[in-house]
Structures are given as C-alpha cells and as structure tokens.
Amino acid sequence: KAGVTQTPRYLIKTRGQQVTLSCSPISGHRSVSWYQQTPGQGLQFLFEYFSETQRNKGNFPGRFSGRQFSNSRSEMNVSTLELGDSALYLCASSLTGQGNYEQYFGPGTRLTVT
Amino acid sequence: AQSVTQLGSHVSVSEGALVLLRCNYSSSVPPYLFWYVQYPNQGLQLLLKYTSAATLVKGINGFEAEFKKSETSFHLTKPSAHMSDAAEYFCAVSDRGGGYNKLIFGAGTRLAVHP
C-alpha cells in the first residue's frame, strides 16, 4: 500500500506570496492532520480534517487554512507569507478519527520564504 | 492539557550499548502515547504506541517502551545500539481532550551512535 505523499517536496517563495501544499493520505484513511516543524518551535499541530470537516485547529493565525476533498486528499494554504513561515510542513493520515490509531507521516514539504 | 517532556536534547552512546531515551507526560485522562523517529530530510516513522493495553510495548527495530503511570513516564529503550539508530526521536501524546488526532510532541532527542 502506498504511503502518504506530499507535493511539492521543496518550495521557495517570497514574503507576501501565498502557497498551497498538497497531501494524499494512505488509501482508506479518512483523517488528515498537518504539522509545522521548525528548529525553534519543534513540531506543532496546525489542523485536522476528517471526512471533509475540520475538527481541530492549532494556535496559528488565520493565514493558515486547509481543506479536505471527498477522496480524503487535503491541501493547506498559507497566505501573505512571512519569513517565520519557513518550515517543514508534515502531513499525517490515520484510519479513523480516534487517537488510538497511529498517524502515518509523509516526507514533508520544505518551505523556504525569502 | 496534555504535555510531553523529553529529558536530554542530545544523547550519545557507543555502538552495542544500551539506548535509553526519556519521556514524561502530563495528562488528565489515560493517555495514548507514541514514539516516532525522524531521519534527516524525512518525515516521522512510528516506532511504537501505547493505548492502554500492555504496559510494555514492543516496536520496530528492537525498540521497546514501558508505560509507568505512577511515574508518568514512557521511556524508550533498545538493548544494543546500532549505527543506523542515529536519528531524532520524538515522544508524543494524543490530545484526547481537544480532539482525537492531535498529537502533542516533545522537543525531541537527537541520538548519536559512535563506533
């Protein structure tokens, strides 16, 4: 079974631009979560989608948004990019919406904002 | 609210030595706990999980962890380190209060293995 895929793997953007990242979960998984990883703040939860509905959102500004499609694929969008948005963005999928099931992570998208 | 503390941001061991990575959690409800490993330029790979079954959990690559409620700990061990174990390790708790699939991570422990 194919793992979680994320596209693109690397991205360079300029301050003020917007960016869209894509995540395809493992087949059959209905929950997709997004995390931001930076050297200073570590791994931080962005949001989670389950059956096309956002169930949880972390403590990030409204510039960060996401959505999930009927096939469970998910996108996250960051508008008006700031230098501090440079990070590794990780997507994870899980079979169900219950926390006792493991989350499988993709390789991440490395975003650099200049 | 749940939280995770990993003691030691860097741990160095000799090849063949015992690996011990420490994790303490805080949770107002019985926790679900996980250990993940991250190799350079890669995502996170699940090593093992605790979800209120056996307190001693065996994972992949020879790793295991023991859930100790009285100590609020979930330390990761491996009897004999291998060079390929060099990576960053993250302990995480599932935030059952705010939402089931929200993981709260510790700051990570970078494991170095030297010959």
Side-chain angles (χ1 to χ4, degrees):
Chain A
K1 193 179 268 190
V4 178
T5 58
Q6 293 187 244
T7 57
R9 290 292 311 277
Y10 301 91
L11 207 50
I12 300 175
K13 290 287 188 178
T14 304
R15 271 182 305 175
Q17 289 186 315
Q18 75 164 15
V19 66
T20 299
L21 312 181
S22 181
C23 171
S24 292
I26 292 171
S27 178
H29 285 194
R30 295 168 61 192
S31 169
V32 174
S33 300
W34 289 88
Y35 295 84
Q36 181 196 64
Q37 185 177 24
T38 60
Q41 300 298 317
L43 282 154
Q44 293 186 287
F45 172 80
L46 279 158
F47 29 65
E48 183 221 1
Y49 287 86
F50 182 78
S51 295
E52 302 180 65
T53 300
Q54 185 183 90
R55 300 200 311 160
N56 293 292
K57 184 171 169 51
N59 188 26
F60 280 83
R63 299 185 297 106
F64 291 81
S65 63
R67 60 178 175 170
Q68 186 181 34
F69 302 95
S70 58
N71 61 359
S72 293
R73 189 177 70 85
S74 177
E75 290 181 346
M76 67 163 281
N77 182 276
V78 188
S79 62
T80 319
L81 284 165
E82 301 177 359
L83 293 179
D85 297 332
S86 294
L88 180 67
Y89 289 89
L90 294 163
C91 161
S93 77
S94 183
L95 185 61
T96 74
Q98 299 183 34
N100 57 338
Y101 280 89
E102 52 265 41
Q103 295 188 42
Y104 294 88
F105 283 79
T109 293
R110 173 78 60 185
L111 172 65
T112 302
V113 182
T114 63
Chain B
Q2 283 91 341
S3 66
V4 173
T5 302
Q6 291 184 242
L7 298 175
S9 59
H10 290 82
V11 170
S12 181
V13 300
S14 299
E15 191 173 21
L18 171 71
V19 175
L20 171 60
L21 304 182
R22 300 178 187 273
C23 172
N24 288 89
Y25 70 90
S26 172
S27 177
S28 57
V29 298
Y32 295 148
L33 295 162
F34 305 83
W35 274 100
Y36 283 87
V37 61
Q38 186 176 36
Y39 297 99
N41 299 315
Q42 294 188 26
L44 302 176
Q45 180 183 11
L46 179 71
L47 284 174
L48 47 82
K49 67 175 183 179
Y50 167 77
T51 56
S52 73
T55 57
L56 182 62
V57 182
K58 294 187 183 298
I60 63 172
N61 301 338
F63 285 94
E64 63 181 37
E66 186 173 8
F67 173 72
K68 291 186 176 180
K69 183 178 178 181
S70 61
E71 299 178 8
T72 61
S73 69
F74 190 56
H75 302 330
L76 182 71
T77 61
K78 182 174 180 177
S80 177
H82 192 272
M83 297 294 286
S84 61
D85 294 327
E88 188 153 23
Y89 293 78
F90 295 92
C91 181
V93 63
S94 183
D95 184 358
R96 300 177 64 192
Y100 290 126
N101 276 338
K102 174 182 177 180
L103 288 175
I104 297 169
F105 286 91
T109 297
R110 189 170 297 278
L111 176 66
V113 182
H114 51 87

